[in-house]
Amino acid sequence: MRFMLQVRADHKTEAGGLPSQELVAAMGKFNAAMVEAGVMLAADGLHPSAKGARVSFAGNKRTVIEGPFAEPRELIAGFWMIQVESKDAAIEWAKRVPFEEGVIEIRQVFEAADFPPEILPAEDAAREQAWRDEQQSRTAPRPA
């Protein structure tokens, strides 16, 4: 199962504040532990919402709203994408994040198997999986 561990933004991240050198080092060790365990698929931090935009949909109308956005606690400042055997395992990894404060939200990622065949026919599911496999092979670390 894939899970996204979402790091919630706060006023500091929304102001463009960077983590301390100590936290960056601790995060590096944490990330290395996830890579070594074979669970991390991706991880990144996000720039503040002031540098972003939202696109709202209403029928055929598209509306672009430039950041910043109102409530930092409603925003995502970064994420890890992990693959583990259960939500409990994802929770255990999230509990190991070396934060002194903050919030991490854990969300399971939909897989093709989560959709009944009347919504996602087998041939469409196979095509989706082939796209994922191709993307994974392009972004997989290459040996030095």
Side-chain angles (χ1 to χ4, degrees), residues 5-86:
L5 309 180
Q6 300 175 357
V7 178
R8 290 293 174 191
D10 59 23
H11 291 290
K12 181 180 176 186
T13 60
E14 276 297 285
L18 297 174
S20 68
Q21 183 178 8
E22 294 79 19
L23 180 55
V24 170
M27 294 296 291
K29 289 178 184 175
F30 174 70
N31 289 344
M34 287 201 299
V35 169
E36 188 173 311
V39 302
M40 186 161 72
L41 302 174
D44 277 304
L46 302 174
H47 282 273
S49 68
K51 294 184 175 185
R54 289 182 177 162
V55 178
S56 297
F57 299 84
N60 290 330
K61 184 177 180 188
R62 306 310 191 242
T63 304
V64 176
I65 302 144
E66 295 288 336
F69 306 119
E71 284 295 321
R73 70 177 184 268
E74 303 287 330
L75 302 173
I76 299 170
F79 69 92
W80 289 273
M81 185 69 73
I82 63 173
Q83 186 157 359
V84 293
E85 66 277 356
S86 67

Side-chain angles (χ1 to χ4, degrees), residues 79-124:
F79 69 92
W80 289 273
M81 185 69 73
I82 63 173
Q83 186 157 359
V84 293
E85 66 277 356
S86 67
K87 181 172 83 171
D88 288 338
I91 290 168
E92 289 305 312
W93 279 106
K95 288 166 55 176
R96 292 177 61 184
V97 172
F99 290 170
E100 290 186 13
E101 58 183 50
V103 174
I104 294 178
E105 183 176 328
I106 300 165
R107 303 280 300 274
Q108 187 173 350
V109 176
F110 273 105
E111 305 287 346
D114 295 326
F115 292 90
E118 61 271 13
I119 294 177
L120 184 63
E123 60 273 8
D124 293 343

